[in-house]
Amino acid sequence: MDYPNIDPVAISLGPLQIHWYGLMYVVGFVAAWWLGRRRAHRIGLSQDAIGDLVFYAALGVVAGGRLGYALFYGIERLVADPLWLFMVWDGGMSFHGGLLGVLVAALLFARRHRLGYFQLTDFIAPLVPIGLGAGRIGNFINHELPGRVSELPWAMPFPHMGPEPRHPSALYEFALEGVVLFVLLWWLSAEPRRRGMISGMFMLLYGVFRFAVEFVRLPDEHLGFIAFGWVTMGMLLTAPMIAVGVALVAWSRRQPVDGSLGHWGVPSRDHGRAS
C-alpha cells in the first residue's frame, strides 16, 4: 500500500501553523470532557467540575509526557542542554511519562474534591483511549513510529525510509489502544464495578497491547534494542504496567462496589466521600 500523502500542517495562517498532531490532543481532551460530563453524577461531581478535571489532566499529560520523554528517551541530550526540556516544538512526548503526570494530577484533584483516589482513576480510565487513538493518528500523519519491514498486504513504505514496505505500527496502536481499549473499558464501566478494577484493566490491557505492538515497531534509532536483541525501551516501560494492572485487578476483588472509599481506597467511617 502507498503511504497517504497528508500534510502534517492542518491549518497555515501566515507564520502560524497548526499541526494535525496538536489537533489530536484537542480531540482527546474534548472527548474526555464530553464523556466525563455524561457520567459526572456517578462520583458526585458537577458537570462544571469535569472541566477542571480535564484541565488538571491536560497539565499532567503535557508536563509528564515531556519530562518522561526527556528522562526515558533523551537523557543525554537533557544533560547536555537542560533547556531542551522546554523546547516542546522540537518534538518528543512519552505516553508513560504522561500517564505518571495524569496520576499525580488525579491525586491533587481527588484531594481537592474529597474523592477516593481509585474512585477517580476508575472514572478517568474509560475517558482516556479516545485521546490515545487520536494521538496515534497524529503520529501516523507525522510519519512517526515506523514499523519493521514486512510483506503483509497492508505494509507500506514510510517517507524517507527507503522503498521497503513496513508495518504501519501507529495504526495498530490506534486500533488497539484507541478503539478496542475504549470499547472494552466503556462496556466494563457501564455497570458498577469493584473499586480499582477499571483502573487495573486499563493498565493491564494497555500494557498487553503496547507490548505486543513493540514486536513490529522499530525501536528508537538512538536507543536500539535494550537487551537480548529484541527488548525495546517501550517494552521495558510497559512491563511494569502489566504487573500493576494484574495486582490492581486482584486487589479490587476485596474492595466494595459502592462509593464508600476514602483517599486511597480505604473505607470511610461514614460510608460517604472521604473527609
Side-chain angles (χ1 to χ4, degrees):
M1 295 181 63
D2 293 328
Y3 200 101
N5 185 21
I6 303 174
D7 190 342
V9 177
I11 303 172
S12 182
L13 301 173
L16 176 64
Q17 292 186 335
I18 300 176
H19 290 247
W20 282 110
Y21 187 75
L23 288 178
M24 293 301 104
Y25 274 82
V26 176
V27 169
F29 292 134
V30 170
W33 171 80
W34 182 73
L35 292 171
R37 284 169 61 91
R38 294 185 59 184
R39 289 184 167 183
H41 64 281
R42 292 190 175 193
I43 56 173
L45 289 176
S46 67
Q47 292 190 344
D48 290 339
I50 298 301
D52 292 340
L53 175 60
V54 171
F55 177 73
Y56 273 69
L59 291 179
V61 166
V62 175
R66 182 59 179 172
L67 182 60
Y69 182 83
L71 294 176
F72 302 148
Y73 298 96
I75 188 64
E76 293 183 359
R77 184 169 181 181
L78 179 64
V79 171
D81 182 13
L83 292 180
W84 171 70
L85 176 65
F86 304 100
M87 300 177 186
V88 293
W89 57 87
D90 196 34
M93 295 288 284
S94 163
F95 163 78
H96 297 90
L99 174 63
L100 292 175
V102 170
L103 292 178
V104 172
L107 174 61
L108 298 176
F109 186 89
R111 286 180 172 176
R112 179 181 176 185
H113 290 266
R114 303 174 65 181
L115 293 169
Y117 184 67
F118 290 111
Q119 179 186 22
L120 182 60
T121 58
D122 284 350
F123 176 80
I124 293 173
L127 312 181
V128 174
I130 291 181
L132 293 179
R136 295 314 184 194
I137 293 295
N139 290 139
F140 184 72
I141 293 174
N142 278 354
H143 313 151
E144 297 169 342
L145 311 186
R148 306 181 196 184
V149 174
S150 170
E151 296 182 357
L152 290 172
W154 55 82
M156 56 187 68
F158 271 63
H160 315 298
M161 294 196 68
E164 300 88 359
R166 299 177 177 276
H167 288 282
S169 53
L171 296 185
Y172 297 168
E173 293 190 60
F174 159 74
L176 293 173
E177 301 167 11
V179 178
V180 176
L181 188 59
F182 172 74
V183 170
L184 290 175
L185 291 181
W186 195 256
W187 172 71
L188 283 171
S189 60
E191 299 293 335
R193 303 290 178 181
R194 294 188 180 275
R195 191 61 48 84
M197 189 268 218
I198 301 299
S199 300
M201 289 301 296
F202 173 86
M203 300 286 278
L204 175 59
L205 290 171
Y206 177 89
V208 169
F209 293 157
R210 174 66 183 270
F211 200 94
V213 174
E214 286 290 323
F215 283 103
V216 298
R217 175 174 154 178
L218 275 181
D220 294 87
E221 184 176 358
H222 63 292
L223 294 177
F225 294 109
I226 303 299
F228 309 119
W230 60 271
V231 176
T232 67
M233 178 61 78
M235 291 178 178
L236 191 65
L237 296 173
T238 300
M241 289 186 64
I242 298 175
V244 170
V246 171
L248 268 178
V249 171
W251 173 81
S252 72
R253 298 182 65 182
R254 302 189 298 274
Q255 303 307 309
V257 174
D258 61 17
S260 60
L261 302 186
H263 284 303
W264 291 97
V266 178
S268 59
R269 293 182 180 180
D270 61 359
H271 299 290
R273 290 198 291 180
S275 59

